[in-house]
Amino acid sequence: MDGVRPARRTTLADDVYESVRTLVMDHAVAPGERINIDALARQLEVSPTPVREALARLESDGLVRKRALAGYTATPLLTRAEFDELVEMRLILEPLAAVRATLRIADETPAVRHDQASTDEAEPTHPLVRLRSAADLPGPAPGSEGFAAIAEFTNTDARFHHLIAEHAGNRLLYDAIVRLRSHLHLFRLYFPTTHHGISGEEHHRVVDAMAAGDADAAGDAMRAHLLAARDRHLPFFA
C-alpha cells in the first residue's frame, strides 16, 4: 500500500472511499486478501470509522465481501465462467434498455437536432444531449497511473450505460443493470488501451440510432458494443 496519499479532511467520507477503491482496483489489496481496518486507517491517517463506511459502500459495489467473524476481504477476480455470465446478462438487459429508451425518448420529448446533441452544456436537459455528452470517454488522466488514470473513464462509461437504463422507464431493469457493477469488475480485470477511442465511437453509434428514432438499430448497436467490449477483455483469460 505504499504511495497512497492520506485522505484529505475536507471530503473525508468520499476521499476514504475513493482511496480504498483505488487500492482494491489496483490490487494493492490483492483479490481475496483480508482487509485490516485498523492498518488501513493508519495508512490513510484517519479513524477506523470512515474506513468501515467506505468498506460498506464497496461491499454494495461488489468489490469487497463481508463474512461474519472474519471481516472484509477483497472480492476475487472474475473467473472466465463468471465473465461469460456477466456478458450474457448484459446482452439480455442492455439492448432491451436501448430499445425501450429510444421509444420513450421519441414519444415523450421534443425533437433535438444532431448538432444540439453535441453541446458541452454542463447539465443538458434533453435526454439525447445528456447521452451524447456521456458517450464521449476521456483518455488516461495525465500524470496518473493505475486505476487513478482510468477512474474518470470508468465513471463516464458507467454513466452512459446507466443513463440509457434510466430512460428505459423500467425501474427493475435499471436496478438490474446498475447492480451488475460491470464496469468496476471488468476494469479490475484488464484495461486495453484501445478502449478509450473505440468505446466512445461505439457509444455514439448507439446515440445516433436513438436520435434517428430507430429502436431496433439502437438495440443492435448496443449489442455490438457489448460483444466488442467482451472481445477486448478476452486476452486477460488467454
Side-chain angles (χ1 to χ4, degrees), residues 31-33 62-63 65 73-79 82 185 188:
E33 179 182 341
L63 292 179
R65 294 177 179 175
T73 58
T75 303
L77 295 179
L78 293 175
T79 64
E82 290 168 338
H185 295 301
R188 191 170 169 232

Side-chain angles (χ1 to χ4, degrees), residues 199-210:
S199 289
E201 292 173 5
E202 292 164 359
H203 285 182
H204 278 285
R205 292 188 194 112
V206 177
V207 182
D208 288 344
M210 296 177 74

Side-chain angles (χ1 to χ4, degrees), residues 86-95 161 182-183 186 226:
L86 175 61
V87 172
E88 183 178 17
M89 284 300 298
R90 295 189 73 187
L91 288 170
I92 292 170
L93 298 172
E94 296 199 45
H161 288 271
S182 57
H183 305 80
L186 291 174
L226 297 176

Side-chain angles (χ1 to χ4, degrees), residues 153-228:
F153 177 101
T154 63
N155 291 339
T156 306
D157 192 33
R159 179 170 173 261
F160 175 78
H161 288 271
H162 295 171
L163 274 174
I164 289 177
E166 175 187 327
H167 288 300
N170 183 310
R171 175 54 56 179
L172 291 178
L173 178 60
Y174 171 82
D175 288 345
I177 290 171
V178 171
R179 276 201 307 270
L180 285 176
R181 302 285 192 247
S182 57
H183 305 80
L184 288 173
H185 295 301
L186 291 174
F187 293 119
R188 191 170 169 232
L189 282 171
Y190 177 73
F191 187 79
T193 55
T194 53
H195 262 43
H196 291 296
I198 295 176
S199 289
E201 292 173 5
E202 292 164 359
H203 285 182
H204 278 285
R205 292 188 194 112
V206 177
V207 182
D208 288 344
M210 296 177 74
D214 191 334
D216 289 340
D220 290 344
M222 178 62 77
R223 175 175 293 275
H225 168 50
L226 297 176
L227 290 172

Side-chain angles (χ1 to χ4, degrees), residues 16 36-51:
V16 172
N36 185 314
I37 291 176
D38 291 334
L40 196 51
R42 288 193 296 272
Q43 177 72 23
L44 299 177
E45 299 181 8
V46 296
S47 72
T49 298
V51 174

